[in-house]
């Protein structure tokens, strides 16, 4: 067979495999739906919510609780995490292109053999690939444009979140009562509502043993402080080790600049006053050191006279960390809100409206993926013109190592756009790509973008003028602010970003952003660090790695896991949308 016929045969085999996988997926989905219809969840356990509605023999095994103004409602929306994107892209790499590498090696071996054989088939000068093989590489390049869209679909898909929501709602119903009993709190619960990945758990607090609750709270507060001290010591030791290494004397200067740029924010945290829930936790921990004759009546006075609603919310909030730990183990993220009875109706309405909007958006994405069309708006050639140097191969500097990523990698893939072209679009002062394309897609408002602190005219240029050293771009910073759109769980809030360049050359550029959100709950207790590393892969392609890390300058609050989950989920959506926007404009204006 000719090389083109070999490619066609391989494509047919892969297509057959894809159809088989799709059929198995449909069968698995059918079984899950049948299981849901029968009122069972994983492990053969009865789904309490289905049984409540009479789904299994009509017997309601979950007693209904009485509802009053003191009833609290835990609202949960389960979401896909960044791991879903990685799993989907790895599956594609294995099932779709696993044979391409071996075929490329065979083609190169044939090229070497043909070098001394005049009767051999002529090969291409670049890479040793036959002409038909180059056509197949072009076909693969076109397919690459849709991989980011598929990553977005994987992130927006609700199949896994629905399944996790069923398991989580049942586990919370079964386990929350005994877990709270260990804290000295007697409760009754009921799964009030569940649709898709959203469910509501009603909670009534019946009785509180204040001595047990104070002891447990003291232990939790001290454990959080101990873990924070250990993490702080590890971080200081790592920073000291990096300073000793020097890296040609640049690290010491970088450390000094970082101290200067963040000192203003650090001062703010020294005067930070905890939230009301954190204050309740700290007071209970302090009262544990006092004799019960004083501490227990004090708790009763606070609970029945001064802070009844706040302390009830605190009691329920003590289980939030365990809930997020459960979801993290399954590679998922979630939004959670504890509402009082008077606020539940309006909050639930907002949450359902948001879920319906997400469903419509998911249907739109699926329709676009099936039709091969792209419904995104194209403003113009915002990526800038094609740059001739991007067509060559990558030339990494001698001894170059990629920058270390942050704690969680949210997005990693190859983009079909030239390195210098993308660098201009993301960094140059004249570029409108982020302002008119990316940030518009993110629905940001009230955007204010500042200038680079130095070299404002030169950063991002395809080729810098003579006499300008690119190494001097490192540690240059830029500040900008924007209004984040509201959601059911978080109101519209201002964000303040400061991004700094930490590497800049013709093979890699990296910027590190620090985001403050003082208007959100606990907003003054954390900083969100994001980092984008873009490397030159030649032939009008570049690799992108996006990572995120949450910093608690004064130690993590009691809902630290919830803050980290929200940061991971939000940045994952942002990074995937950045990749989708770049690919859409690169496809429209190659």
């Amino acid at each position: 067979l000719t090389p083109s016929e070999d490619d066609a045969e391989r494509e047919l085999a892969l297509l057959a495999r894809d159809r088989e996988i799709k059929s198995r997926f449909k069968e698995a989905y059918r079984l899950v739906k049948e299981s849901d219809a029968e009122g069972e969840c994983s492990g053969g356990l009865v789904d309490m919510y289905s049984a409540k509605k009479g789904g299994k023999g009509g017997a309601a095994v979950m007693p209904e609780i009485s509802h009053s103004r003191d009833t609290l409602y835990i609202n949960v929306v389960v979401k896909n995490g960044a791991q879903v994107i990685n799993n989907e892209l790895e599956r594609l790499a294995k099932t779709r292109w696993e044979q391409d590498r071996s075929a490329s090696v065979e083609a190169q071996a044939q090229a070497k053999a043909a070098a001394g054989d005049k009767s051999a088939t002529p090969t291409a000068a670049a890479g040793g690939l036959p002409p038909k093989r180059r056509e197949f590489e072009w076909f693969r390049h076109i397919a690459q444009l849709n991989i980011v869209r598929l990553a977005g679909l994987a992130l927006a898909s609700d199949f896994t979140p629905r399944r996790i929501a069923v398991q989580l709602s049942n586990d919370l119903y079964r386990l929350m009562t005994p877990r709270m009993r260990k804290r000295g709190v007697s409760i009754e619960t009921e799964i009030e509502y569940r649709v898709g990945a959203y469910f509501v758990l009603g909670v009534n607090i019946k009785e509180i043993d204040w001595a047990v609750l104070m002891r447990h709270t003291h232990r939790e507060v001290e454990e959080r402080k101990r873990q924070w001290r250990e993490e702080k010591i590890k971080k200081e030791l790592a920073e000291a080790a990096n300073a000793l290494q020097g890296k040609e004397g640049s690290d010491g200067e970088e450390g000094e600049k970082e101290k200067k740029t963040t000192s203003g924010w650090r001062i703010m945290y020294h005067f930070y006053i905890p939230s009301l829930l954190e204050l309740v936790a700290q007071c209970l921990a302090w009262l544990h050191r006092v004799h019960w004759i004083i501490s227990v009546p004090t708790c009763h006075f606070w609970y029945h006279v001064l802070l009844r609603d706040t302390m009830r919310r605190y009691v329920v909030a003590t289980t939030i960390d365990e809930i997020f730990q459960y979801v993290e183990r399954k590679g998922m993220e979630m939004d959670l809100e504890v509402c009082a009875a008077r606020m539940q109706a309006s909050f639930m309405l907002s949450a359902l409206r948001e879920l319906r909007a997400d469903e419509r958006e998911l249907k739109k994405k699926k329709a676009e993926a099936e039709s091969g069309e792209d419904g995104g708006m194209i403003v113009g050639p915002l990526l800038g013109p094609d740059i001739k140097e991007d067509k060559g191969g990558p030339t990494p500097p001698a001894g170059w190592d990629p920058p270390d990523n942050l704690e969680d990698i949210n997005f990693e893939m190859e983009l079909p756009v030239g390195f210098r072209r993308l660098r201009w679009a993301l960094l140059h002062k004249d570029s409108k790509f982020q302002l008119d394309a990316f940030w518009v897609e993110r629905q940001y408002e009230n955007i204010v973008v500042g200038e680079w602190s130095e070299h404002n005219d030169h950063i991002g240029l395809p080729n810098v003028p003579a006499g300008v050293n690119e190494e001097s771009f490192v540690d240059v910073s830029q500040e900008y602010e924007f209004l984040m759109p509201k959601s059911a769980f978080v109101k519209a809030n201002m964000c303040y970003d400061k991004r700094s360049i930490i590497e800049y050359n013709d093979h890699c550029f990296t910027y590190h952003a620090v985001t403050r959100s003082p208007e959100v709950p606990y907003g003054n207790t954390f900083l969100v660090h994001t980092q984008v590393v873009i490397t030159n892969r030649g032939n009008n392609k570049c690799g992108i790695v996006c990572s995120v890390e949450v910093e608690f300058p004064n130690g993590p609050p009691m809902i630290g896991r919830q803050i980290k989950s929200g940061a991971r989920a939000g940045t994952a959506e942002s990074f995937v949308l950045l990749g989708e926007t770049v690919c859409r404009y690169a496809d429209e204006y190659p």
Side-chain angles (χ1 to χ4, degrees):
L1 297 176
T2 64
S4 59
E5 291 173 338
D6 283 335
D7 292 338
E9 289 290 335
R10 184 155 49 86
E11 281 298 303
L12 289 175
L14 291 172
L15 181 60
R17 184 190 304 175
D18 290 346
R19 289 176 176 173
E20 181 181 359
I21 293 173
K22 184 177 180 180
S23 65
R24 291 181 180 178
F25 177 80
K26 287 183 177 180
E27 177 66 16
Y29 184 75
R30 183 184 64 79
L31 293 175
V32 171
K33 294 296 287 184
E34 287 180 358
S35 176
D36 289 345
E38 293 172 1
E40 294 184 359
C41 52
S42 63
L45 299 174
V46 175
D47 178 10
M48 294 299 181
Y49 185 69
S50 299
K52 170 186 174 182
K53 298 187 298 183
K56 189 162 179 99
V61 298
M62 180 172 58
E64 295 185 359
I65 65 174
S66 59
H67 297 272
S68 66
R69 68 179 184 87
D70 291 332
T71 303
L72 297 174
Y73 298 89
I74 303 176
N75 297 265
V76 177
V77 175
V78 183
K79 306 167 72 174
N80 284 316
Q83 188 61 38
V84 175
I85 304 176
N86 298 331
N87 293 341
E88 185 65 18
L89 294 180
E90 287 177 6
R91 184 191 71 81
L92 279 177
K94 291 178 180 178
T95 60
R96 189 69 179 166
W97 307 115
E98 61 182 0
Q99 297 181 9
D100 180 62
R101 181 176 299 175
S102 61
S104 178
V105 171
E106 292 175 3
Q108 292 179 3
Q110 293 175 2
K112 292 179 180 179
D117 187 358
K118 296 182 179 180
S119 62
T121 304
T123 58
L129 297 179
K132 294 296 183 182
R133 193 69 195 161
R134 289 206 312 274
E135 293 179 6
F136 180 75
E137 291 294 330
W138 174 83
F139 166 75
R140 187 176 71 167
H141 172 73
I142 297 300
Q144 178 74 23
L145 299 176
N146 293 319
I147 291 183
V148 179
R149 181 187 298 175
L150 186 59
L153 279 173
L155 191 63
S157 172
D158 64 345
F159 176 75
T160 303
R162 284 172 180 263
R163 179 170 54 84
I164 298 299
V166 173
Q167 296 179 5
L168 179 60
S169 60
N170 283 275
D171 289 345
L172 285 181
Y173 172 76
R174 295 186 181 95
L175 301 177
M176 194 170 179
T177 299
R179 292 290 179 87
M180 294 295 288
R181 191 177 297 119
K182 292 181 180 179
R183 291 178 166 84
V185 181
S186 175
I187 65 170
E188 56 180 3
T189 63
E190 179 187 4
I191 304 175
E192 298 289 345
Y193 182 77
R194 191 179 68 217
V195 57
Y198 171 62
F199 68 88
V200 180
L201 192 71
V203 179
N204 277 336
I205 299 176
K206 300 168 62 178
E207 187 178 357
I208 300 177
D209 186 333
W210 291 106
V212 176
L213 181 60
M214 284 186 290
R215 182 173 66 250
H216 193 280
T217 301
H218 178 267
R219 187 164 56 245
E220 284 188 338
V221 170
E222 292 301 318
E223 179 64 18
R224 283 202 304 270
K225 290 181 179 179
R226 183 190 64 80
Q227 291 179 358
W228 174 62
R229 285 193 294 264
E230 290 179 355
E231 292 177 0
K232 187 177 180 181
I233 291 173
K234 290 180 181 179
K235 186 174 181 181
E236 290 176 351
L237 291 175
E239 291 176 352
N242 291 334
L244 288 175
Q245 290 178 359
K247 290 186 179 180
E248 299 180 358
S250 62
D251 281 356
E253 297 175 2
E254 180 180 350
E256 291 299 324
K257 290 187 177 181
E258 183 178 355
K259 289 180 182 178
K260 291 178 183 178
T261 55
T262 60
S263 61
W265 297 348
R266 302 285 183 180
I267 292 173
M268 176 185 66
Y269 289 111
H270 289 311
F271 296 96
Y272 163 69
I273 300 176
S275 70
L276 199 52
L277 294 185
E278 291 287 329
L279 186 59
V280 169
Q282 190 61 64
C283 290
L284 291 176
W286 286 332
L287 284 175
H288 174 66
R289 304 173 184 270
V290 183
H291 195 279
W292 68 268
I293 294 180
I294 298 175
S295 61
V296 172
T298 301
C299 291
H300 278 286
F301 177 74
W302 287 350
Y303 183 71
H304 293 288
V305 179
L306 298 179
L307 301 171
R308 181 178 181 84
D309 291 342
T310 301
M311 297 188 75
R312 293 175 74 85
R313 288 182 64 244
Y314 165 75
V315 169
V316 175
T318 56
T319 62
I320 289 179
D321 190 74
E322 295 181 3
I323 297 174
F324 276 89
Q325 193 172 11
Y326 172 95
V327 174
E328 283 179 8
R329 287 199 297 265
K330 297 182 178 295
M332 308 296 289
E333 309 292 353
M334 72 176 184
D335 290 328
L336 184 147
E337 181 70 21
V338 179
C339 285
R342 65 181 183 276
M343 301 295 296
Q344 176 59 21
S346 60
F347 179 88
M348 188 173 177
L349 180 60
S350 299
L352 291 175
R353 284 176 177 171
E354 189 171 313
L355 287 174
R356 294 190 187 101
D358 291 342
E359 288 180 3
R360 290 193 295 268
E361 184 65 22
L362 179 60
K363 289 180 180 179
K364 180 182 177 182
K365 282 179 177 260
K366 288 181 177 178
E368 291 172 357
E370 292 173 358
S371 64
E373 298 178 355
D374 199 334
M377 180 179 62
I378 301 293
V379 179
L382 299 183
L383 284 177
D386 189 23
I387 299 173
K388 183 176 67 174
E389 289 88 344
D390 287 337
K391 298 178 181 178
T395 55
W400 177 82
D401 290 322
D404 294 332
N405 294 308
L406 301 182
E407 184 177 5
D408 296 296
I409 298 177
N410 271 356
F411 185 65
E412 180 178 6
M413 69 176 310
E414 186 177 275
L415 298 177
V417 62
F419 173 80
R420 288 173 177 81
R421 187 183 184 193
L422 183 58
R423 185 174 65 183
W424 180 89
L426 294 179
L427 300 182
H428 197 263
K429 68 180 182 66
D430 293 334
S431 170
K432 300 297 182 184
F433 174 75
Q434 292 200 96
L435 186 63
D436 294 341
F438 175 54
W439 287 339
V440 169
E441 293 284 346
R442 289 289 291 162
Q443 300 180 3
Y444 293 164
E445 297 179 359
N446 303 342
I447 302 172
V448 179
V449 181
E451 295 183 346
W452 291 103
S453 57
E454 299 178 50
H455 304 287
N456 189 58
D457 295 329
H458 302 143
I459 292 177
L461 289 176
N463 298 289
V464 296
V468 178
N469 187 0
E470 290 183 343
E471 294 181 358
S472 62
F473 295 172
V474 176
D475 292 329
V476 174
S477 61
Q478 179 187 41
E479 296 185 4
Y480 50 94
E481 60 186 57
F482 50 86
L483 180 67
M484 286 278 289
K486 70 173 183 178
S487 68
F489 291 85
V490 181
K491 66 178 183 179
N493 62 95
M494 289 297 298
C495 292
Y496 304 90
D497 272 25
K498 183 174 186 177
R499 65 171 178 171
S500 303
I501 298 174
I502 62 175
E503 182 154 352
Y504 192 102
N505 53 59
D506 287 337
H507 182 71
C508 172
F509 74 89
T510 303
Y511 59 86
H512 181 116
V514 182
T515 304
R516 297 180 297 121
S517 306
E519 297 178 5
V520 302
Y522 291 86
N524 286 332
T525 68
F526 65 91
L527 300 172
V528 178
H529 297 256
T530 53
Q531 180 173 286
V532 177
V533 181
I534 298 178
T535 54
N536 187 359
R537 297 189 178 178
N539 301 320
N540 283 317
K541 292 181 293 185
C542 59
I544 181 171
V545 181
C546 306
S547 54
V548 62
E549 183 175 335
V550 179
E551 177 190 3
F552 300 102
N554 283 343
M558 60 185 298
I559 62 167
R561 286 185 184 273
Q562 182 176 358
I563 294 172
K564 286 188 174 182
S565 177
R568 287 194 301 265
T571 53
E573 293 176 2
S574 180
F575 291 149
V576 170
L577 185 58
L578 174 62
E580 288 180 337
T581 308
V582 169
C583 286
R584 185 166 65 249
Y585 276 82
D587 187 27
E588 186 71 19
Y589 295 97

